[in-house]
Amino acid sequence: MTGVEIALSGCNLLATAFAAYAAWRSAKAGEESTKAANKSVLVAEASAKAGERSVEIAESAERSAKRNVEIAESAERSAEKSAEAAKEQVGVALMQKELAQRQFIIPLWDRMAGLKPIDPRDPAPVDVHAAVNTMELVGLCCEGGMIDPAVIKRTFKDRYVELYDMVKACGKIATMRDKSGADLLRENKAATQFYNELMAEITSEGQLKRT
């Protein structure tokens, strides 16, 4: 072969080698692109699954929220029913209390009406004793809520004050360990307290009339 032919043959080999290298690089780049594409597909699939999971979680949270709302509404309805039942019970209790108070006022009225007038100058011990005991009973009943004080005051306020003043004006009574009427009343605090309430109302009524 001539030198020229040898040179040309070398150039052809070099060109072939460059072409082969270029083809290899292209193939390699294609493989990398394929891997990158596959990886992108995997990432996309994972993202899609994560999105589906997020949707499931959101739907579950929504169902839980709805359930909580239902539970809260049910509890509210139960509370309303309990409140209504409590109101009914209170109403029944008040009716029973009023009935008991009305039933109890009749015996008290009979006792008050049966008391005899007391002469402070010559008091009968039996009458003084009955008056003090009855007034103490009235005071205790009002204090304990067994009767309505307002009803008692309207019914025999004047009679109560009159009896109290009569007993208070009595001097020492021999058959009652020489105690005076005032001594007996001091020992019966409920009677005295109720009397003071009555006198305060009478004083207040008198002031209103004067104005």
Side-chain angles (χ1 to χ4, degrees):
M1 293 179 71
T2 64
V4 173
E5 290 174 346
I6 292 171
L8 288 172
S9 178
C11 288
N12 288 334
L13 288 172
L14 185 61
T16 300
F18 273 119
Y21 178 74
W24 177 81
R25 289 295 300 264
S26 295
K28 195 71 175 176
E31 289 178 3
E32 294 295 333
S33 296
T34 300
K35 289 180 181 179
N38 290 336
K39 189 174 182 179
S40 297
V41 170
L42 293 174
V43 171
E45 289 177 351
S47 298
K49 289 180 180 179
E52 290 175 358
R53 181 58 180 161
S54 297
V55 171
E56 291 176 358
I57 292 173
E59 290 176 348
S60 177
E62 183 180 2
R63 288 193 295 271
S64 297
K66 288 181 179 179
R67 180 58 180 163
N68 290 336
V69 170
E70 291 174 357
I71 292 172
E73 290 176 348
S74 176
E76 183 179 358
R77 289 192 294 270
S78 298
E80 290 176 353
K81 289 181 180 179
S82 297
E84 291 176 359
K87 288 181 180 178
E88 290 179 359
Q89 291 177 352
V90 171
V92 171
L94 289 175
M95 289 177 62
Q96 291 176 341
K97 181 180 178 181
E98 290 177 359
L99 179 60
Q101 289 177 339
R102 290 173 183 173
Q103 291 175 341
F104 200 68
I105 197 171
I106 296 175
L108 280 180
W109 170 259
D110 290 340
R111 288 195 62 168
M112 288 291 293
L115 294 175
K116 297 179 180 179
I118 297 171
D119 184 359
R121 294 169 297 181
D122 185 21
V126 175
D127 296 339
V128 173
H129 185 73
V132 171
N133 285 347
T134 301
M135 289 188 291
E136 178 70 2
L137 177 62
V138 171
L140 289 173
C141 289
C142 292
E143 185 179 297
M146 289 178 283
I147 53 177
D148 187 356
V151 175
I152 293 296
K153 292 173 183 178
R154 289 196 304 269
T155 305
F156 39 76
K157 175 176 63 177
D158 293 338
R159 176 64 172 161
Y160 191 98
V161 171
E162 180 183 17
L163 282 171
Y164 191 96
D165 289 339
M166 288 179 181
V167 173
K168 188 177 181 180
C170 292
K172 292 182 179 182
I173 305 172
T175 57
M176 302 184 79
R177 294 178 295 177
D178 286 334
K179 290 183 178 181
S180 66
D183 294 332
L184 294 172
L185 293 172
R186 275 194 295 270
E187 293 175 354
N188 293 269
K189 300 185 183 302
T192 300
Q193 181 177 340
F194 190 64
Y195 173 82
N196 291 336
E197 291 179 10
L198 293 177
M199 292 306 298
E201 286 191 7
I202 292 173
T203 301
S204 177
E205 291 173 358
Q207 291 175 347
L208 288 174
K209 289 179 180 180
R210 286 197 295 272
T211 57

